[in-house]
PDB file of all heavy atoms in Angstrom:
ATOM      1  N   ALA A   1       0.731  -1.220   0.073  1.00 98.00           N
ATOM      2  CA  ALA A   1       0.004   0.054  -0.051  1.00 98.00           C
ATOM      3  C   ALA A   1       0.900   1.268   0.025  1.00 98.00           C
ATOM      4  O   ALA A   1       0.518   2.241  -0.730  1.00 98.00           O
ATOM      5  CB  ALA A   1      -0.961  -0.021   1.183  1.00 98.00           C
ATOM      6  N   LEU A   2       1.867   1.329   0.847  1.00 98.00           N
ATOM      7  CA  LEU A   2       2.614   2.502   0.940  1.00 98.00           C
ATOM      8  C   LEU A   2       3.260   2.993  -0.424  1.00 98.00           C
ATOM      9  O   LEU A   2       3.338   4.224  -0.723  1.00 98.00           O
ATOM     10  CB  LEU A   2       3.868   2.358   1.856  1.00 98.00           C
ATOM     11  CG  LEU A   2       4.825   3.419   2.152  1.00 98.00           C
ATOM     12  CD1 LEU A   2       3.994   4.703   2.662  1.00 98.00           C
ATOM     13  CD2 LEU A   2       5.892   3.052   3.081  1.00 98.00           C
ATOM     14  N   ASN A   3       3.660   1.966  -1.187  1.00 97.00           N
ATOM     15  CA  ASN A   3       4.172   2.346  -2.542  1.00 97.00           C
ATOM     16  C   ASN A   3       3.236   3.193  -3.409  1.00 97.00           C
ATOM     17  O   ASN A   3       3.682   3.878  -4.317  1.00 97.00           O
ATOM     18  CB  ASN A   3       4.697   1.140  -3.250  1.00 97.00           C
ATOM     19  CG  ASN A   3       5.535   1.446  -4.563  1.00 97.00           C
ATOM     20  OD1 ASN A   3       6.430   2.275  -4.420  1.00 97.00           O
ATOM     21  ND2 ASN A   3       4.923   0.989  -5.687  1.00 97.00           N
ATOM     22  N   CYS A   4       1.930   3.050  -3.179  1.00 97.00           N
ATOM     23  CA  CYS A   4       0.848   3.689  -3.986  1.00 97.00           C
ATOM     24  C   CYS A   4       0.550   5.180  -3.530  1.00 97.00           C
ATOM     25  O   CYS A   4      -0.038   5.866  -4.227  1.00 97.00           O
ATOM     26  CB  CYS A   4      -0.416   2.866  -3.846  1.00 97.00           C
ATOM     27  SG  CYS A   4      -0.377   1.159  -4.429  1.00 97.00           S
ATOM     28  N   PHE A   5       1.122   5.546  -2.302  1.00 97.00           N
ATOM     29  CA  PHE A   5       0.866   6.898  -1.832  1.00 97.00           C
ATOM     30  C   PHE A   5       2.065   7.779  -2.342  1.00 97.00           C
ATOM     31  O   PHE A   5       2.861   8.264  -1.477  1.00 97.00           O
ATOM     32  CB  PHE A   5       0.751   6.891  -0.320  1.00 97.00           C
ATOM     33  CG  PHE A   5      -0.398   6.070   0.136  1.00 97.00           C
ATOM     34  CD1 PHE A   5      -0.188   5.024   1.052  1.00 97.00           C
ATOM     35  CD2 PHE A   5      -1.671   6.135  -0.302  1.00 97.00           C
ATOM     36  CE1 PHE A   5      -1.197   4.219   1.627  1.00 97.00           C
ATOM     37  CE2 PHE A   5      -2.726   5.498   0.160  1.00 97.00           C
ATOM     38  CZ  PHE A   5      -2.496   4.504   1.074  1.00 97.00           C
ATOM     39  N   ARG A   6       2.023   8.073  -3.573  1.00 95.00           N
ATOM     40  CA  ARG A   6       3.061   8.937  -4.101  1.00 95.00           C
ATOM     41  C   ARG A   6       2.659   9.344  -5.543  1.00 95.00           C
ATOM     42  O   ARG A   6       2.047   8.528  -6.216  1.00 95.00           O
ATOM     43  CB  ARG A   6       4.475   8.337  -4.006  1.00 95.00           C
ATOM     44  CG  ARG A   6       4.538   7.040  -4.817  1.00 95.00           C
ATOM     45  CD  ARG A   6       6.096   6.769  -4.917  1.00 95.00           C
ATOM     46  NE  ARG A   6       6.346   5.396  -5.527  1.00 95.00           N
ATOM     47  CZ  ARG A   6       7.445   4.879  -5.910  1.00 95.00           C
ATOM     48  NH1 ARG A   6       8.419   5.745  -6.072  1.00 95.00           N
ATOM     49  NH2 ARG A   6       7.557   3.664  -6.303  1.00 95.00           N
ATOM     50  N   ARG A   7       3.288  10.581  -5.887  1.00 95.00           N
ATOM     51  CA  ARG A   7       3.168  10.951  -7.276  1.00 95.00           C
ATOM     52  C   ARG A   7       4.289  10.357  -8.107  1.00 95.00           C
ATOM     53  O   ARG A   7       5.207  10.010  -7.429  1.00 95.00           O
ATOM     54  CB  ARG A   7       3.216  12.404  -7.361  1.00 95.00           C
ATOM     55  CG  ARG A   7       1.970  13.142  -6.736  1.00 95.00           C
ATOM     56  CD  ARG A   7       2.035  14.628  -6.967  1.00 95.00           C
ATOM     57  NE  ARG A   7       0.816  15.278  -6.628  1.00 95.00           N
ATOM     58  CZ  ARG A   7       0.287  15.538  -5.444  1.00 95.00           C
ATOM     59  NH1 ARG A   7       1.049  15.283  -4.367  1.00 95.00           N
ATOM     60  NH2 ARG A   7      -1.005  16.107  -5.208  1.00 95.00           N
ATOM     61  N   ALA A   8       4.222  10.384  -9.363  1.00 94.00           N
ATOM     62  CA  ALA A   8       5.204   9.775 -10.248  1.00 94.00           C
ATOM     63  C   ALA A   8       6.483  10.443  -9.948  1.00 94.00           C
ATOM     64  O   ALA A   8       6.749  11.695  -9.893  1.00 94.00           O
ATOM     65  CB  ALA A   8       4.831   9.995 -11.702  1.00 94.00           C
ATOM     66  N   GLY A   9       7.557   9.674  -9.855  1.00 93.00           N
ATOM     67  CA  GLY A   9       8.866  10.079  -9.645  1.00 93.00           C
ATOM     68  C   GLY A   9       9.126  10.664  -8.190  1.00 93.00           C
ATOM     69  O   GLY A   9      10.276  11.083  -7.939  1.00 93.00           O
ATOM     70  N   GLU A  10       8.272  10.443  -7.161  1.00 96.00           N
ATOM     71  CA  GLU A  10       8.503  11.053  -5.894  1.00 96.00           C
ATOM     72  C   GLU A  10       8.529   9.687  -4.916  1.00 96.00           C
ATOM     73  O   GLU A  10       7.995   8.709  -5.267  1.00 96.00           O
ATOM     74  CB  GLU A  10       7.354  11.983  -5.577  1.00 96.00           C
ATOM     75  CG  GLU A  10       7.444  13.244  -6.249  1.00 96.00           C
ATOM     76  CD  GLU A  10       6.370  14.211  -5.833  1.00 96.00           C
ATOM     77  OE1 GLU A  10       5.805  13.986  -4.802  1.00 96.00           O
ATOM     78  OE2 GLU A  10       6.124  15.397  -6.510  1.00 96.00           O
ATOM     79  N   ARG A  11       9.046  10.065  -3.818  1.00 97.00           N
ATOM     80  CA  ARG A  11       9.026   8.951  -2.808  1.00 97.00           C
ATOM     81  C   ARG A  11       7.717   8.839  -2.173  1.00 97.00           C
ATOM     82  O   ARG A  11       6.964   9.731  -2.012  1.00 97.00           O
ATOM     83  CB  ARG A  11      10.171   9.175  -1.769  1.00 97.00           C
ATOM     84  CG  ARG A  11       9.875  10.422  -0.860  1.00 97.00           C
ATOM     85  CD  ARG A  11      11.036  10.587   0.157  1.00 97.00           C
ATOM     86  NE  ARG A  11      10.869  11.731   0.961  1.00 97.00           N
ATOM     87  CZ  ARG A  11      11.622  12.115   1.897  1.00 97.00           C
ATOM     88  NH1 ARG A  11      12.639  11.375   2.259  1.00 97.00           N
ATOM     89  NH2 ARG A  11      11.384  13.362   2.528  1.00 97.00           N
ATOM     90  N   PRO A  12       7.345   7.604  -1.577  1.00 97.00           N
ATOM     91  CA  PRO A  12       6.147   7.453  -0.882  1.00 97.00           C
ATOM     92  C   PRO A  12       6.066   8.309   0.309  1.00 97.00           C
ATOM     93  O   PRO A  12       6.961   8.614   1.112  1.00 97.00           O
ATOM     94  CB  PRO A  12       6.176   5.994  -0.439  1.00 97.00           C
ATOM     95  CG  PRO A  12       7.166   5.302  -1.332  1.00 97.00           C
ATOM     96  CD  PRO A  12       8.112   6.368  -1.619  1.00 97.00           C
ATOM     97  N   VAL A  13       4.759   8.778   0.651  1.00 96.00           N
ATOM     98  CA  VAL A  13       4.500   9.515   1.771  1.00 96.00           C
ATOM     99  C   VAL A  13       3.501   8.766   2.835  1.00 96.00           C
ATOM    100  O   VAL A  13       2.445   8.531   2.325  1.00 96.00           O
ATOM    101  CB  VAL A  13       3.816  10.866   1.405  1.00 96.00           C
ATOM    102  CG1 VAL A  13       3.299  11.651   2.563  1.00 96.00           C
ATOM    103  CG2 VAL A  13       4.711  11.638   0.515  1.00 96.00           C
ATOM    104  N   PRO A  14       3.900   8.529   4.021  1.00 96.00           N
ATOM    105  CA  PRO A  14       3.078   7.707   4.930  1.00 96.00           C
ATOM    106  C   PRO A  14       1.766   8.403   5.189  1.00 96.00           C
ATOM    107  O   PRO A  14       1.835   9.639   5.545  1.00 96.00           O
ATOM    108  CB  PRO A  14       3.876   7.548   6.167  1.00 96.00           C
ATOM    109  CG  PRO A  14       5.368   7.710   5.699  1.00 96.00           C
ATOM    110  CD  PRO A  14       5.227   8.770   4.563  1.00 96.00           C
ATOM    111  N   PRO A  15       0.554   7.795   5.006  1.00 95.00           N
ATOM    112  CA  PRO A  15      -0.665   8.434   5.195  1.00 95.00           C
ATOM    113  C   PRO A  15      -1.065   8.429   6.858  1.00 95.00           C
ATOM    114  O   PRO A  15      -1.949   7.852   7.228  1.00 95.00           O
ATOM    115  CB  PRO A  15      -1.655   7.641   4.494  1.00 95.00           C
ATOM    116  CG  PRO A  15      -1.136   6.229   4.487  1.00 95.00           C
ATOM    117  CD  PRO A  15       0.367   6.420   4.511  1.00 95.00           C
ATOM    118  N   VAL A  16      -0.130   9.145   7.562  1.00 94.00           N
ATOM    119  CA  VAL A  16      -0.252   9.039   9.034  1.00 94.00           C
ATOM    120  C   VAL A  16      -0.313   7.502   9.419  1.00 94.00           C
ATOM    121  O   VAL A  16       0.375   6.746   8.866  1.00 94.00           O
ATOM    122  CB  VAL A  16      -1.514   9.837   9.603  1.00 94.00           C
ATOM    123  CG1 VAL A  16      -1.273  10.198  11.051  1.00 94.00           C
ATOM    124  CG2 VAL A  16      -1.710  11.109   8.725  1.00 94.00           C
ATOM    125  N   ASN A  17      -1.041   7.218  10.370  1.00 95.00           N
ATOM    126  CA  ASN A  17      -1.169   5.722  10.732  1.00 95.00           C
ATOM    127  C   ASN A  17      -2.522   5.193  10.612  1.00 95.00           C
ATOM    128  O   ASN A  17      -3.089   4.324  11.404  1.00 95.00           O
ATOM    129  CB  ASN A  17      -0.642   5.493  12.151  1.00 95.00           C
ATOM    130  CG  ASN A  17      -1.477   6.028  13.202  1.00 95.00           C
ATOM    131  OD1 ASN A  17      -2.047   7.186  13.049  1.00 95.00           O
ATOM    132  ND2 ASN A  17      -1.572   5.442  14.471  1.00 95.00           N
ATOM    133  N   VAL A  18      -3.363   5.760   9.586  1.00 95.00           N
ATOM    134  CA  VAL A  18      -4.721   5.320   9.541  1.00 95.00           C
ATOM    135  C   VAL A  18      -4.937   4.031   8.773  1.00 95.00           C
ATOM    136  O   VAL A  18      -5.854   3.329   9.025  1.00 95.00           O
ATOM    137  CB  VAL A  18      -5.591   6.437   8.933  1.00 95.00           C
ATOM    138  CG1 VAL A  18      -5.458   7.761   9.872  1.00 95.00           C
ATOM    139  CG2 VAL A  18      -5.004   6.849   7.543  1.00 95.00           C
ATOM    140  N   VAL A  19      -4.083   3.734   7.788  1.00 97.00           N
ATOM    141  CA  VAL A  19      -4.270   2.595   6.948  1.00 97.00           C
ATOM    142  C   VAL A  19      -3.970   1.319   7.591  1.00 97.00           C
ATOM    143  O   VAL A  19      -4.681   0.268   7.484  1.00 97.00           O
ATOM    144  CB  VAL A  19      -3.510   2.778   5.673  1.00 97.00           C
ATOM    145  CG1 VAL A  19      -3.669   1.426   4.618  1.00 97.00           C
ATOM    146  CG2 VAL A  19      -3.939   4.047   4.877  1.00 97.00           C
ATOM    147  N   GLY A  20      -2.900   1.215   8.353  1.00 96.00           N
ATOM    148  CA  GLY A  20      -2.435   0.078   8.976  1.00 96.00           C
ATOM    149  C   GLY A  20      -3.165  -0.134  10.400  1.00 96.00           C
ATOM    150  O   GLY A  20      -3.794  -1.074  10.646  1.00 96.00           O
ATOM    151  N   ASP A  21      -2.732   0.891  11.269  1.00 97.00           N
ATOM    152  CA  ASP A  21      -3.335   0.690  12.607  1.00 97.00           C
ATOM    153  C   ASP A  21      -4.855   0.777  12.711  1.00 97.00           C
ATOM    154  O   ASP A  21      -5.422  -0.022  13.336  1.00 97.00           O
ATOM    155  CB  ASP A  21      -2.647   1.924  13.350  1.00 97.00           C
ATOM    156  CG  ASP A  21      -1.313   1.682  13.850  1.00 97.00           C
ATOM    157  OD1 ASP A  21      -0.840   0.498  13.658  1.00 97.00           O
ATOM    158  OD2 ASP A  21      -0.629   2.492  14.471  1.00 97.00           O
ATOM    159  N   MET A  22      -5.344   1.785  12.138  1.00 96.00           N
ATOM    160  CA  MET A  22      -6.801   2.009  12.318  1.00 96.00           C
ATOM    161  C   MET A  22      -7.584   1.342  11.389  1.00 96.00           C
ATOM    162  O   MET A  22      -8.587   0.488  11.757  1.00 96.00           O
ATOM    163  CB  MET A  22      -7.045   3.522  12.188  1.00 96.00           C
ATOM    164  CG  MET A  22      -6.236   4.462  13.214  1.00 96.00           C
ATOM    165  SD  MET A  22      -6.204   3.803  14.880  1.00 96.00           S
ATOM    166  CE  MET A  22      -4.682   4.700  15.551  1.00 96.00           C
ATOM    167  N   GLY A  23      -7.477   1.427  10.081  1.00 96.00           N
ATOM    168  CA  GLY A  23      -8.328   0.776   9.135  1.00 96.00           C
ATOM    169  C   GLY A  23      -8.056  -0.709   9.019  1.00 96.00           C
ATOM    170  O   GLY A  23      -8.866  -1.581   9.147  1.00 96.00           O
ATOM    171  N   GLY A  24      -6.800  -1.087   8.910  1.00 97.00           N
ATOM    172  CA  GLY A  24      -6.320  -2.563   8.666  1.00 97.00           C
ATOM    173  C   GLY A  24      -6.324  -3.188   9.978  1.00 97.00           C
ATOM    174  O   GLY A  24      -6.212  -4.391  10.011  1.00 97.00           O
ATOM    175  N   GLY A  25      -6.139  -2.491  11.124  1.00 97.00           N
ATOM    176  CA  GLY A  25      -6.101  -3.084  12.487  1.00 97.00           C
ATOM    177  C   GLY A  25      -7.298  -3.024  13.288  1.00 97.00           C
ATOM    178  O   GLY A  25      -8.159  -3.899  13.461  1.00 97.00           O
ATOM    179  N   GLY A  26      -7.698  -1.744  13.855  1.00 97.00           N
ATOM    180  CA  GLY A  26      -8.678  -1.653  14.768  1.00 97.00           C
ATOM    181  C   GLY A  26     -10.085  -1.928  14.230  1.00 97.00           C
ATOM    182  O   GLY A  26     -10.829  -2.617  14.868  1.00 97.00           O
TER     183      GLY A  26
END
């Protein structure tokens, strides 16, 4: 998932901790 959070040619930007901890976890 992290690799998807970026524009072309830029490094990934973590979407705070909502995708793993909260959505994927809690």
Side-chain angles (χ1 to χ4, degrees):
L2 180 57
N3 191 55
C4 297
F5 299 127
R6 58 169 165 160
R7 290 182 170 81
E10 298 184 8
R11 62 180 179 175
V13 177
V16 201
N17 67 327
V18 298
V19 176
D21 280 354
M22 307 310 166

